[in-house]
Amino acid sequence: MKKPVRVTITGAAGQIGYQLAFRIASGQMLGKDQPIILQLLEISPALPALNGVVMELEDCAFSTLANVIATDDANLAFKDSDYALLVGAMPRGPGMERNDLLEANAKIFTHQGKAINENADHQIKVLVVGNPANTNALIASSNAPNINPKNFTAMTRLDHNRAKAYLAKKINSKSQDIKNMIIWGNHSATQYPDIEHVKSAGSHIKNELKLDWLENDFIPAIQQRGATIIKARGASSAASAASAAIDHMHDWVLGTPSDDWVSMGVPSDGSYNIAPGIIYSFPVRCSNGSYQIVQNLPISDFSKKRMINTEIELREERAAVEDLL
């Protein structure tokens, strides 16, 4: 067994955090040979529930779980942390405008960014799950000047997985056979699920799909999938969100398959004419613990319009929290 690594989960007693804790502790994220020290952060009123999570983790007797720390102190939660999954965020309440949500969460992620900067390992890899994930990741990174901005990412893997599954169902294939899906932009209703480069069983499938289906069925279905699930079950996605977070971190750390790429919200570096200054979802390949944006893909006018639309929303979000960056 290797030396234990420290993994921080915020909002760890919530639905997604609860799902994550057991899967990470069992080795599903970093491998069965990697011992884990879980560092679980919650707000003070949720500490009793968090202690219940700790008891359940102990009762599982995972061979990979070296220790569990449960706390409401962000400095302790991020102490020497190697990986962090920032799940806890304020949900949108009745009467709240998007800017209200941005402002409320900006305070949370400003505080957490500073705690990461002052306490975590400086090579820490951070995944922001709590919405609005892209801009929350930007805020956290901006408040952690000692950490490489590339180490702060936002989750669009759930959208990526949803798009693969939806498309596989349409063409009577399997999700694992769908390769080279892309989610561009924001984890929001402006995201663009792009199938122009998708292959199934090694063959491009674009010409098999009608433009009308793409515009009026596929794209809005993926953009609105989260809202559809809330309507159906009365709560937001939890198990699928946790699964996507595991996928995101697993591939970032251990690498992507040679014949595929994944979607990650990462700091824009000017690729595909998306100017720096925002966290934007791109297709990436991962190896040796690093990611690289896939370059030089041909982009159609159909795609350009949608890529710009989601970029505009991200720049509006940035402008709303500019004073905290």
Side-chain angles (χ1 to χ4, degrees), residues 160-199:
H160 182 99
N161 289 349
R162 286 168 169 168
K164 288 179 64 173
Y166 200 90
L167 190 55
K169 193 173 181 180
K170 171 68 174 177
I171 65 172
N172 196 28
S173 182
K174 298 177 181 178
S175 297
Q176 61 265 35
D177 293 334
I178 303 295
K179 309 290 185 182
N180 299 343
M181 177 63 69
I182 303 173
I183 302 295
W184 297 103
N186 200 3
H187 175 60
S188 75
T190 68
Q191 66 175 262
Y192 171 44
D194 179 3
I195 61 94
E196 293 197 0
H197 308 280
V198 168
K199 296 179 181 179

Side-chain angles (χ1 to χ4, degrees), residues 270-283:
S271 296
Y272 300 99
N273 295 316
I274 306 300
I278 55 175
I279 305 286
Y280 189 96
S281 182
F282 292 94

Side-chain angles (χ1 to χ4, degrees), residues 106-156:
K107 296 174 184 177
I108 295 171
F109 287 87
T110 295
H111 175 64
Q112 291 183 359
K114 291 176 179 178
I116 290 169
N117 192 65
E118 295 169 6
N119 298 282
D121 186 282
H122 283 183
Q123 301 303 313
I124 187 173
K125 289 177 167 59
V126 180
L127 168 61
V128 176
V129 177
N131 287 319
N134 296 55
T135 298
N136 286 342
L138 179 66
I139 293 166
S141 175
S142 297
N143 285 278
N146 295 333
I147 310 295
N148 188 334
K150 287 191 69 173
N151 288 20
F152 284 83
T153 65
M155 190 173 82
T156 55

Side-chain angles (χ1 to χ4, degrees), residues 18 22 49-62 65:
Y18 179 80
F22 295 89
L50 185 60
N51 288 332
V53 176
V54 173
M55 287 187 276
E56 283 200 80
L57 284 164
E58 292 170 347
D59 292 349
C60 289
F62 292 123
L65 184 58

Side-chain angles (χ1 to χ4, degrees), residues 51-301:
N51 288 332
V53 176
V54 173
M55 287 187 276
E56 283 200 80
L57 284 164
E58 292 170 347
D59 292 349
C60 289
F62 292 123
S63 62
T64 43
L65 184 58
N67 193 19
V68 185
I69 297 167
T71 182
D72 59 357
D73 181 349
N75 293 317
L76 179 58
F78 290 110
K79 180 67 175 174
D80 299 323
S81 185
D82 300 288
Y83 306 96
L85 296 94
L86 308 188
V87 180
M90 180 175 289
R92 190 167 184 167
M96 286 184 71
E97 298 295 333
R98 188 171 181 84
N99 281 357
D100 296 330
L101 183 66
L102 281 165
E103 185 176 343
N105 279 297
K107 296 174 184 177
I108 295 171
F109 287 87
T110 295
H111 175 64
Q112 291 183 359
K114 291 176 179 178
I116 290 169
N117 192 65
E118 295 169 6
N119 298 282
D121 186 282
H122 283 183
Q123 301 303 313
I124 187 173
K125 289 177 167 59
V126 180
L127 168 61
V128 176
V129 177
N131 287 319
N134 296 55
T135 298
N136 286 342
L138 179 66
I139 293 166
S141 175
S142 297
N143 285 278
N146 295 333
I147 310 295
N148 188 334
K150 287 191 69 173
N151 288 20
F152 284 83
T153 65
M155 190 173 82
T156 55
R157 185 60 175 270
L158 178 55
D159 311 299
H160 182 99
N161 289 349
R162 286 168 169 168
K164 288 179 64 173
Y166 200 90
L167 190 55
K169 193 173 181 180
K170 171 68 174 177
I171 65 172
N172 196 28
S173 182
K174 298 177 181 178
S175 297
Q176 61 265 35
D177 293 334
I178 303 295
K179 309 290 185 182
N180 299 343
M181 177 63 69
I182 303 173
I183 302 295
W184 297 103
N186 200 3
H187 175 60
S188 75
T190 68
Q191 66 175 262
Y192 171 44
D194 179 3
I195 61 94
E196 293 197 0
H197 308 280
V198 168
K199 296 179 181 179
S200 177
S203 299
H204 286 281
I205 67 167
K206 178 183 176 183
N207 293 335
E208 299 177 28
L209 302 166
K210 294 181 179 179
L211 181 61
D212 180 68
W213 180 80
L214 288 173
E215 286 194 283
N216 299 313
D217 187 330
F218 176 71
I219 292 174
I222 303 308
Q223 290 175 332
Q224 299 292 337
R225 183 69 166 184
T228 304
I229 290 172
I230 290 173
K231 184 177 180 180
R233 70 183 293 260
S236 59
S237 307
S240 58
S243 185
I246 295 289
D247 290 343
H248 177 116
M249 294 297 279
H250 176 277
D251 289 352
W252 187 3
V253 177
L254 301 177
T256 49
S258 60
D259 63 343
D260 202 4
W261 58 60
V262 295
S263 301
M264 290 173 56
V266 302
S268 177
D269 61 359
S271 296
Y272 300 99
N273 295 316
I274 306 300
I278 55 175
I279 305 286
Y280 189 96
S281 182
F282 292 94
V284 305
R285 290 192 177 99
C286 305
S287 62
N288 301 316
S290 298
Y291 62 80
Q292 297 293 330
I293 296 172
V294 177
Q295 297 293 333
N296 302 317
L297 295 174
I299 304 297
S300 68
D301 290 340

